[in-house]
Amino acid sequence: MIIVTGAAGFIASNLIKKLNADGFKHIIAVDKFDRPDKNKNLEDLIIQEKIERDVFFEWLEGQNEKEVEFIFHLGARTDTSEFDTELLTELNTDYTKRIWQKCIEMQIPLVYASSAATYGLGELGYEDDESKIPDLKPLNPYGVSKNEFDKWALQQEKKPFFWAGLKFFNVYGPREYHKGRMASVILHAYKQISETGKMKLFRSHNPDYKDGEQMRDFVFVDDVVNVMIWLMHHRKNSGVYNLGSGKARTFLDLVKAVFKSMNKKEDISFIDTPEDIRDKYQYFTEAKMEKLKSIGYLHEFTDLESGVEAYIKEMKL
């Protein structure tokens, strides 16, 4: 029995799909199942039981813990524009602490979602060095809530016998259609190009970067899922790890790949970055992936053009 929280969400539903393909059918899906658009992500998946997140701990404390083999805790408030710090602390920090404690009590290994948002402007770089985590300066309350848990976890004397926190970078791929503004630029580009034949990108307000040459570490969701499942089998070398492609690419690269995959002529223009996010806008992110490789994960990551092509093909279907 494998528990996946945030089950109806983007990354979690892709994880369950791969677990099913690998023969794991006893999946416990935990979420707040109140959004029909998100729940569509679960319609083609094999799930043993759905548990509302508010009653999850009561369910776990029954007879069920004896059967649980692993917990993937991916449930969180992921809106980076959310400024309700109490809500973020409750859902992202405190809820994860409760799961951590249960994993200790019940001897259950744990993989949880951290975020590259913890790195802020990258003043200290993007290396997953745990000694730097207390000094990171996230740019928004979401990033703070994720970093607070990472800091707390590292301070604990008692830990699950295996645990890993994964700092997801810019993940893209199928099953993110419900995310609205928080969806990947690829989905927004596909929709905009389909409707208008054109794509608008944010203009650069940083003299070090030309328009459209702001850079991100875009990572295909299939690669993210493969790392998580590998860690489920690996079960050693606990710690906090980056999870990106390891190669920063420009937004121009990304949008050009979308136009090409759609067989459309490029038509790209630029608009000002909204003032409310301009001073907190990241111009560069790139995951240092040496730490994950050092514990034996040697699989190649999907290059941006191949990932975009696969995703566009899925969207056309």
Side-chain angles (χ1 to χ4, degrees), residues 47-109:
I47 290 168
Q48 181 172 319
E49 193 172 354
K50 293 180 183 177
I51 306 294
E52 290 285 335
R53 75 175 184 217
D54 293 340
V55 299
F56 168 59
F57 293 104
E58 295 170 29
W59 176 90
L60 187 61
E61 287 164 2
Q63 300 299 313
N64 303 293
E65 78 273 8
K66 296 171 186 174
E67 299 177 50
V68 176
E69 185 176 339
F70 207 92
I71 294 180
F72 291 100
H73 176 42
L74 306 179
R77 178 70 171 174
T78 58
D79 187 343
T80 56
S81 63
E82 176 63 73
F83 283 88
D84 185 339
T85 55
E86 287 187 12
L87 179 68
L88 288 164
T89 298
E90 175 192 348
L91 295 181
N92 292 1
T93 309
D94 293 346
Y95 197 93
T96 313
K97 288 179 181 180
R98 291 183 70 187
I99 287 181
W100 175 278
Q101 298 290 4
K102 289 300 175 189
C103 286
I104 294 171
E105 291 172 24
M106 300 172 179
Q107 288 292 292
I108 302 170

Side-chain angles (χ1 to χ4, degrees), residues 134-294:
D135 299 320
L136 296 178
K137 298 175 182 177
L139 294 172
N140 53 46
Y142 164 75
V144 169
S145 71
K146 288 293 188 179
N147 201 52
E148 284 302 307
F149 181 79
D150 289 343
K151 290 195 294 185
W152 180 89
L154 292 170
Q155 291 168 354
Q156 301 310 299
E157 288 186 16
K158 291 185 177 179
K159 298 178 171 70
F161 74 86
F162 170 72
W163 64 277
L166 300 177
K167 294 192 181 223
F168 297 137
F169 278 68
N170 286 64
V171 188
Y172 68 91
R175 300 175 188 264
E176 64 165 346
Y177 315 113
H178 62 279
K179 291 183 67 177
R181 184 183 174 190
M182 292 298 113
S184 73
V185 177
I186 298 166
L187 179 58
H188 290 299
Y190 179 79
K191 288 182 174 179
Q192 200 174 127
I193 294 166
S194 296
E195 292 168 6
T196 69
K198 304 176 182 181
M199 180 62 191
K200 295 178 180 179
L201 287 173
F202 286 153
R203 182 173 287 114
S204 173
H205 300 273
N206 182 327
D208 295 333
Y209 293 85
K210 295 178 182 177
D211 291 343
E213 293 189 4
Q214 304 95 317
M215 302 183 82
R216 291 282 190 282
D217 188 324
F218 301 105
V219 58
F220 193 38
V221 70
D222 287 7
D223 294 326
V224 169
V225 164
N226 288 339
V227 170
M228 287 193 284
I229 291 177
W230 183 84
L231 286 168
M232 180 181 74
H233 295 298
H234 185 69
R235 298 193 187 195
K236 52 187 176 183
N237 309 109
S238 295
V240 178
Y241 293 89
N242 280 340
L243 187 37
S245 70
K247 185 171 178 59
R249 299 290 302 274
T250 69
F251 282 100
L252 274 177
D253 289 338
L254 181 149
V255 172
K256 287 178 178 180
V258 175
F259 273 107
K260 183 177 180 181
S261 296
M262 294 177 70
N263 296 312
K264 301 276 190 181
K265 183 181 177 182
E266 290 177 18
D267 190 340
I268 303 168
S269 59
F270 298 94
I271 58 173
D272 285 343
T273 305
E275 288 194 19
D276 63 329
I277 63 170
R278 196 178 296 178
D279 62 336
K280 297 181 178 180
Y281 186 83
Q282 292 173 304
Y283 279 81
F284 178 86
T285 67
E286 184 176 76
K288 300 297 184 185
M289 295 300 295
E290 287 76 12
K291 187 174 175 183
L292 185 67
K293 291 175 183 176
S294 75

Side-chain angles (χ1 to χ4, degrees), residues 103-120:
C103 286
I104 294 171
E105 291 172 24
M106 300 172 179
Q107 288 292 292
I108 302 170
L110 169 69
V111 164
Y112 73 87
S114 181
S115 172
T118 57
Y119 286 117

